[in-house]
């Protein structure tokens, strides 16, 4: 074993030293054991790993949870509070039934992983850890395997119809050393439609996996706001498999957070499907945000779109690794990828690794990655009309992220997040 | 209203003098025009007055109603009543024209200690003024100047001026790119704003605009200085004979 591999194994041994696989029924135990075996063959990420060169994995790997102060939100209401929704609350990774809505809703079955773990058979068996496994090639995702092996909380959601209300998952962080694994499985039966909202910082260190199967003709919208706690860390995996004529749209807003690694793996397995994934990340100071996205086109005539915007300053780092893989036979693929950063001073860093890998001949794929500063002419034009410098900068920042925000199809949710962002920009100036 | 005394300006990036002692006074209620060859410093003067970066004032002064303009931030100059209609209006993708104008109007009202306009009052006003300039409602919804034709951009400048009601208006080649009808519209817009408490400085190359917006005084700028001033006839002279004779005369 090479020294590098040895270090990855040592990190894993360290991490697992005081952990034991949770008890459960046959289906979950099988999934957990398989995940642990996968994990052991990979080790934890090291700084030399191809997809970890931009992001130091040590604090995500560490056996001891790095502390993260809990932010006092004052009288600020949590994101999405004003929407009619089915609300599910987790505090430091633990479900709170007293704060959550009743889980029954027409066209959807919602169960907690903690409640069905002891059963020997469950529909989630076909997806739990299975989509994660598919996402492990060609890029290893050890934290996701760790999650599959050790998570005891999460939601198992089966959507059979068109859901009247969004499912709103609210994660609260109250404990400065909480280390939490959360594993959601969502299956949309053919033709079903649902929207899942997520908000909040979840824990001092949050490891989340969300596996989503979007059946033929089904439509899924995912909108997430990762909270604005400054010190929290998160590694998340969004693993998706889409059937024919399905739609998957996911948007993530991240403002603050010491370290965020958002991975996504989307597989388009049936023709005429469409996958959109987008994000806006804003940070200053001790802020590191990483989007690592992999989209695999396996069927004909599918469309995929990635739009990522980052606004960085005062030492903040943003990274983007995005790949479009078009398999042989995935003719008439339309793939689009855009990742841009706006650096508000000279002391911020943006690292990007855009990739295209194409094995079909009739495809249209494009990618573009840019880094820029505030446009002085635009800034002057606004100021010459009487808009003060800070407000003018905010307008230009909002304009910069607008293309990503536009990926939120529903006007109401978009307005909600744009409003939060405006407030965040103003608050940041006063800090 | 506007008083410029012996203004010297050089570029920040290189040691190149652009304005070499500009003297100019525009009293309230008057319209002054500046003409002059390409590159003589007309736009630079308008930028320096409105506070654009990239220039260094190496001497002289500029005041608006006695207030030292050069000491103010661009937004403070705007709040003090200075307005520049840009020779090249800037496109700002992602910022809606309407949002931009409402933010600007309310920022200036706030700076002057007035209440902000309510959304309805603002809408009513901007719709009425846009109509006069034949700017359709669709254009107001689009991002600032993005995809606007040359003439539309210039009309949008005048709309901003009409909304902001500044007291000192500088128009930098607002006529360029305008068709005959648009020129009339824009001139009417300007003339509607003419009053005893407001002054205009109109930079142009052509007599045509001055047929519509009749100036009280015409200045000729050359190589960073005002080299000649006179009545409206001076513009006619330029139109007919060009600058060559004038410049020789004044040299
Ligand atoms: N930022 C700059 N960098 C380099 N040169 C500049 C800059 N700004 C102005 N200049 C130079 O200063 C001179 C005056 O330019 P200015 O734009 O003021 O002329 P103008 O009189 O408005 O000309 P026009 O009639 O063509 O609009 C020109 O030679 C121009 O190239
Ligand atoms: Mg000019």
């Amino acid at each position: 074993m090479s020294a590098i591999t040895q270090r990855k194994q040592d990190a894993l041994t360290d991490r697992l030293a005081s952990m034991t696989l949770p008890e459960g029924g046959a289906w979950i135990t099988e999934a957990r054991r398989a995940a642990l075996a996968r994990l052991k063959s990979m080790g934890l990420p090291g700084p030399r790993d191809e997809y970890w060169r931009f992001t130091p994995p040590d604090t995500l790997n560490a056996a001891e949870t790095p502390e993260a102060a809990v932010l006092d939100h004052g009288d600020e209401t949590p994101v999405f509070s004003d929407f009619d929704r089915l609300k599910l609350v987790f505090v430091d990774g633990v479900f709170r039934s007293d704060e959550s809505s009743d889980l029954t809703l027409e066209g959807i079955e919602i169960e907690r992983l903690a409640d069905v773990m002891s059963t020997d058979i469950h529909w989630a068996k076909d997806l739990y850890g299975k989509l994660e496994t598919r996402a492990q090639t060609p890029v290893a995702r050890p934290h996701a395997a760790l999650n599959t092996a050790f998570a005891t909380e999460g939601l198992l959601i089966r959507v059979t119809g068109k859901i009247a209300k969004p499912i709103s998952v609210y994660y609260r962080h109250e404990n400065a050393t909480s280390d939490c694994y959360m594993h959601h499985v969502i299956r949309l039966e053919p033709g079903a439609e649902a929207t899942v909202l997520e908000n909040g910082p979840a824990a001092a260190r949050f490891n989340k996996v969300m596996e989503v199967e979007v059946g033929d003709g089904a439509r899924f919208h995912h909108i997430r706001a990762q909270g604005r706690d400054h010190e929290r860390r998160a590694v998340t995996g969004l693993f998706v498999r889409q059937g024919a004529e399905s739609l998957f749209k996911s948007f993530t807003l991240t403002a603050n957070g010491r370290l965020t690694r958002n991975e996504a793996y989307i597989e388009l397995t049936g023709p005429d499907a469409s996958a959109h994934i987008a994000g806006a990340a804003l940070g200053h100071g001790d802020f590191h945000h990483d989007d690592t996205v992999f989209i695999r086109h396996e069927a004909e005539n599918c469309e995929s779109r990635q739009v990522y915007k980052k606004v960085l300053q005062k030492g903040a780092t943003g990274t983007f690794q995005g790949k479009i893989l078009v398999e042989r036979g995935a003719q008439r693929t339309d793939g689009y990828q855009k990742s841009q950063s706006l650096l508000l001073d000279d002391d911020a860093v943006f690292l990007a690794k855009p990739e295209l890998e194409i094995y079909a001949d009739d495809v249209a794929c494009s990618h573009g990655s840019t880094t820029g500063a505030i446009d002085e002419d635009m800034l002057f034009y606004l100021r010459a009309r009487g808009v003060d410098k800070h407000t003018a900068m905010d307008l230009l920042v909002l304009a910069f992220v607008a293309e990503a925000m536009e990926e939120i199809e529903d006007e109401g949710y978009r307005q909600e997040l744009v409003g939060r962002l405006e407030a965040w920009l103003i608050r940041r100036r006063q800090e | 209203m506007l008083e410029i005394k012996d203004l010297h300006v050089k570029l920040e990036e290189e040691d190149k003098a652009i304005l070499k002692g500009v003297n100019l006074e525009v009293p309230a209620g008057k319209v002054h025009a500046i003409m002059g060859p390409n590159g003589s410093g007309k736009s630079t003067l308008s930028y320096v007055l409105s506070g654009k970066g990239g220039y260094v004032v190496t001497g002289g002064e500029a005041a608006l109603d006695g207030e030292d303009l050069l000491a103010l931030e661009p937004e403070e100059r705007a709040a003090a009543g200075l307005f520049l209609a840009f020779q090249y209006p800037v496109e700002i993708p992602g910022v809606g024209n309407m949002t931009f104008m409402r933010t600007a109007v309310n920022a200036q009202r706030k700076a002057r200690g007035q209440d902000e306009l309510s959304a309805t009052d603002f809408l009513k006003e901007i719709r009425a003024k846009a109509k006069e300039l034949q700017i359709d409602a669709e254009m107001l919804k689009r991002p600032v100047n993005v995809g606007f034709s040359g003439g539309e951009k210039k009309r949008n400048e005048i709309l901003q001026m009409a909304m902001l009601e500044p007291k000192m208006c500088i128009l930098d080649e607002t006529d360029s790119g305008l068709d005959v009808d648009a020129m009339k519209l824009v001139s009417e817009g300007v003339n509607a704003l003419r009053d005893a408490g407001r002054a205009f400085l109109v930079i142009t190359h052509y007599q045509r605009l001055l047929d519509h917006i009749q100036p009280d005084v015409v200045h000729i700028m050359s190589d960073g200085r005002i080299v000649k001033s006179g009545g409206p006839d001076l513009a006619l002279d330029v139109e007919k004979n060009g600058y060559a004779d004038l410049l020789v005369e004044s040299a």
Side-chain angles (χ1 to χ4, degrees):
Chain A
M1 202 183 286
S2 77
I4 290 170
T5 314
Q6 186 62 54
R7 269 201 294 280
K8 288 155 60 81
Q9 286 299 331
D10 290 348
L12 181 60
T13 310
D14 244 27
R15 179 67 176 260
L16 296 181
S18 58
M19 296 174 80
T20 42
L21 277 193
E23 301 271 317
W27 75 275
I28 189 97
T29 300
E30 192 185 318
R32 284 174 177 153
R33 285 192 183 140
L36 188 60
R38 272 197 298 287
L39 178 61
K40 285 186 170 163
S41 71
M42 296 183 258
L44 284 176
R48 300 284 188 84
D49 292 2
E50 192 185 348
Y51 288 92
W52 284 94
R53 290 205 191 116
F54 298 158
T55 298
D58 49 321
T59 55
L60 295 175
N61 291 349
E64 197 176 331
T65 313
E67 224 178 280
V70 175
L71 182 76
D72 177 4
H73 285 77
D75 53 8
E76 182 188 354
T77 57
V79 184
F80 305 127
S81 293
D82 297 337
F83 292 85
D84 181 21
R85 60 197 174 135
L86 194 141
K87 182 171 135 188
L88 300 154
V89 181
F90 291 90
V91 177
D92 290 301
V94 180
F95 187 70
R96 287 285 285 266
S97 55
D98 57 324
E99 293 186 50
S100 300
S101 311
D102 185 69
L103 299 189
T104 46
L105 184 68
E106 175 87 35
I108 193 166
E109 285 167 24
I110 305 174
E111 292 166 298
R112 283 175 55 211
L113 178 59
D115 289 339
V116 301
M117 251 159 45
S118 54
T119 60
D120 282 329
I121 188 105
H122 195 271
W123 63 263
K125 175 178 190 291
D126 296 338
L127 297 175
Y128 186 97
K130 296 292 193 302
L131 297 187
E132 174 252 295
T133 305
R134 297 179 70 90
Q136 295 289 355
T137 26
V139 182
R141 305 166 193 279
H143 294 111
L146 180 71
N147 179 301
T148 300
F150 292 96
T152 54
E153 272 286 15
L155 299 166
L156 308 177
I157 300 177
R158 205 163 70 90
V159 189
T160 52
K162 296 187 173 158
I163 306 310
K165 295 181 196 182
I167 308 303
S168 169
V169 187
Y170 171 36
Y171 306 111
R172 214 162 54 230
H173 170 211
E174 288 183 354
N175 178 333
T177 55
S178 56
D179 191 26
C180 135
Y181 303 88
M182 175 92 49
H183 197 119
H184 303 308
V185 175
I186 301 169
R187 166 179 263 162
L188 287 100
E189 300 293 351
E193 284 182 25
T195 296
V196 168
L197 311 172
E198 291 183 284
N199 70 299
R205 185 170 65 182
F206 187 42
N207 177 332
K208 192 196 73 178
V209 166
M210 186 188 269
E211 292 171 298
V212 187
E213 176 155 70
V214 191
D216 292 353
R219 301 168 75 84
F220 183 65
H221 291 272
H222 173 231
I223 300 153
R224 149 169 83 164
Q226 293 185 291
R228 53 182 196 83
D229 278 36
H230 291 270
E231 299 184 4
R232 62 112 188 107
R233 289 175 169 80
V235 54
T236 75
L238 180 56
F239 307 128
V240 183
R241 184 166 60 192
Q242 290 186 242
E245 292 175 38
S246 64
L247 173 80
F248 172 85
K249 280 191 112 173
S250 172
F251 172 86
T252 301
L253 174 67
T254 313
N256 302 345
R258 185 160 286 174
L259 177 60
T260 309
R261 163 98 163 186
N262 289 334
E263 299 186 357
Y265 175 89
I266 302 171
E267 237 180 317
L268 296 145
T269 64
D272 305 304
S274 172
H276 287 216
I277 185 156
L282 298 92
H284 51 117
D286 201 348
F287 171 90
H288 185 111
H289 184 93
D290 172 334
D291 288 297
T292 296
V293 180
F294 195 108
I295 296 187
R296 184 178 222 126
H297 284 263
E298 293 165 16
E300 286 193 1
N301 207 32
C302 291
E303 177 222 29
S304 72
R305 194 177 154 86
Q306 305 169 44
V307 182
Y308 284 89
K309 301 272 183 162
K310 294 183 170 65
V311 182
L312 307 163
Q313 75 184 118
K314 294 184 185 152
T317 302
T319 82
F320 173 80
Q321 309 181 101
K323 182 161 184 168
I324 305 172
L325 171 65
V326 182
E327 302 273 23
R328 220 176 303 278
Q331 299 295 14
R332 298 190 309 285
T333 286
D334 180 359
Y336 176 86
Q337 179 195 92
K338 188 178 213 175
S339 107
Q340 297 183 313
S341 74
L342 178 64
L343 306 184
L344 297 181
D345 57 34
D346 296 335
D347 190 25
V349 181
F350 177 61
L351 303 162
K353 182 177 151 104
E355 292 177 286
L356 290 178
E357 199 175 320
I358 300 174
Y359 298 102
D361 49 24
D362 180 16
V363 302
C365 281
S366 67
H367 66 63
S369 178
T370 62
T371 297
I374 287 278
D375 185 296
E376 289 297 331
D377 288 335
M378 293 183 196
L379 187 63
F380 174 64
Y381 190 72
L382 293 168
R383 296 179 74 190
R385 295 295 177 254
V387 182
D388 72 86
K389 187 176 176 183
H390 294 299
T391 307
M393 296 268 280
D394 288 357
L395 276 175
L396 294 176
V397 166
L398 289 168
F400 172 75
V401 300
E403 191 186 357
M405 310 296 292
E406 296 289 317
E407 288 293 323
I408 306 173
E409 206 167 282
D410 182 279
E411 169 104 31
Y413 301 136
R414 188 183 337 125
Q415 287 307 330
E416 164 83 337
L417 291 193
V418 168
R420 298 291 172 154
L421 202 49
E422 275 170 333
W424 183 85
L425 289 167
I426 292 168
R427 205 182 296 110
R428 176 179 64 173
R429 255 191 269 128
Q430 291 156 352
E431 266 169 13
Chain B
M1 165 97 35
L2 180 67
E3 273 182 282
I4 305 170
K5 281 191 203 137
D6 197 28
L7 189 64
H8 285 75
V9 169
K10 73 171 198 71
L11 293 177
E12 192 177 64
E13 296 284 304
E14 54 184 296
D15 217 14
K16 183 176 165 193
I18 311 285
L19 300 183
K20 303 168 181 173
V22 175
N23 287 291
L24 183 65
E25 201 170 314
V26 188
K30 301 293 180 192
V31 174
H32 283 210
I34 299 188
M35 302 179 85
N38 294 132
S40 55
K42 306 180 297 295
S43 292
T44 302
L45 176 64
S46 72
Y47 285 148
V48 170
L49 291 175
S50 41
K52 189 175 186 196
Y55 302 98
V56 181
V57 176
T58 52
E61 45 198 80
L64 183 66
D65 274 343
E67 192 172 3
D68 178 9
L69 273 181
L70 304 177
L72 302 178
E73 296 294 333
E75 56 269 32
E76 294 169 332
R77 300 179 198 205
L82 184 73
F83 180 90
L84 167 63
F86 284 61
Q87 181 174 0
Y88 305 108
V90 180
E91 298 186 4
I92 314 184
V95 177
N97 216 5
M98 208 64 135
T99 309
F100 162 61
M101 292 218 200
R102 203 180 50 233
T103 310
V105 167
N106 284 331
Q108 294 206 14
R109 293 181 69 97
K110 207 171 133 201
R112 294 182 196 136
Q114 297 166 311
D115 283 340
E116 296 196 349
L117 271 188
S118 74
T120 9
D121 288 347
F122 172 81
L123 259 180
K124 242 180 30 214
E125 201 176 323
I126 196 162
R127 287 217 177 109
K129 288 184 168 158
K131 203 167 161 210
E132 280 168 27
L133 289 160
Q134 295 185 7
I135 291 175
D136 64 45
E138 262 317 295
M139 243 170 83
L140 293 177
K141 286 187 202 148
R142 275 154 49 188
V144 180
N145 293 324
V146 176
F148 288 27
S149 73
E152 286 170 343
K153 283 180 183 167
K154 296 302 177 79
R155 271 185 282 157
N156 199 31
E157 293 291 290
I158 300 307
L159 175 61
Q160 291 168 39
M161 185 168 87
M163 288 302 292
L164 294 168
E165 300 181 332
K167 56 187 186 193
M168 179 70 229
C169 310
I170 305 175
L171 277 58
D172 191 357
E173 292 196 29
T174 299
D175 52 336
S176 64
L178 290 182
D179 63 40
V180 183
D181 296 332
M183 172 103 71
K184 247 187 100 195
L185 276 178
V186 162
S187 306
E188 280 163 11
V190 171
N191 288 330
L193 282 170
R194 283 180 80 157
D195 78 37
R198 187 172 281 132
F200 290 85
L201 186 60
V202 181
I203 299 171
T204 183
H205 286 294
Y206 305 107
Q207 165 63 30
R208 223 167 36 144
L209 180 71
L210 303 180
D211 283 341
H212 296 290
I213 308 172
Q214 305 237 321
D216 297 294
V217 179
V218 175
H219 306 277
I220 308 296
M221 183 173 232
S222 169
D223 192 23
R225 284 187 200 91
I226 303 289
V227 293
K228 196 173 166 93
S229 303
D233 290 351
L234 190 51
L236 289 169
D237 200 14
V238 168
E239 184 93 340
K240 235 192 299 165
N241 306 318
Y243 291 110
D245 293 347
L246 280 173
L247 299 184
V248 171
E249 233 174 85
S250 64

